Amino acid sequence: MAKTELIIEPDRFLTEGPLPGERISQVLSRLSADPRIGGVSSFAGLVRADETDAGRVSAIEFTAHRSMAERSIGELIERTADGYESPVLHVYAEHALGRVSVGEIPIIIVVGASHRPEAFGLCRDVLEALKAEVPIWGKELTDTGGHQWKVNN
């Protein structure tokens, strides 16, 4: 089998503020122009109004060591994609920094591949690696004025 072409975007993975849901359809439009893509899988995470010891979550404030996080995301996409065989793998990953309120989107991942198993698998693998490895921290802000640091899960 020929070597896989890995396309990673955007150039910067971290964005200030909540992510627009339209981003998924924008990426899908670009992927649909590539005749090698046969399956696309996407994930958009939403901030939930969980009940915590500090009160009900109203928002999460995300912070990161920007250069370290950017480098880490790029490296983990390359490493994770290496386990998949497909003529093309297209990975879009973006994470919000700053305040993201309940119902808003802090993370979007879109993966295009030649076949659906690779698209589904790589989308999940990139998400799980990003949450486990990338130095992005979330401070859950609550309706009582309290806060607690979010544990990756």
Side-chain angles (χ1 to χ4, degrees), residues 11 35 55 61 65 67 70-71 101 119 127 133 140:
D11 292 336
E61 188 173 309
H65 185 287
S67 63
E70 293 275 0
R71 184 175 51 254
S101 297
L127 172 66
E133 299 174 26
E140 294 177 318

Side-chain angles (χ1 to χ4, degrees), residues 33 70 74 82 116 122 130:
E70 293 275 0
D82 195 44
R116 69 182 174 275
L122 185 54
L130 194 148

Side-chain angles (χ1 to χ4, degrees), residues 19-98:
L19 306 178
E22 301 83 45
R23 188 84 80 230
I24 294 172
S25 61
Q26 293 165 352
V27 175
L28 181 58
S29 290
R30 289 194 298 279
L31 294 180
S32 67
D34 187 337
R36 301 170 298 170
I37 299 288
V40 176
S41 182
S42 64
F43 175 83
L46 303 174
V47 174
R48 297 181 308 272
D50 287 347
E51 193 65 44
T52 71
D53 291 340
R56 182 176 300 279
V57 173
S58 58
I60 300 176
E61 188 173 309
F62 292 96
T63 57
H65 185 287
R66 187 180 284 271
S67 63
M68 186 182 294
E70 293 275 0
R71 184 175 51 254
S72 180
I73 293 170
E75 290 170 357
L76 81 83
I77 290 172
E78 289 179 11
R79 183 184 73 246
T80 305
D82 195 44
Y84 288 86
E85 289 188 15
S86 178
V88 63
L89 292 170
H90 188 121
V91 180
Y92 180 96
E94 188 174 16
H95 199 293
L97 294 179

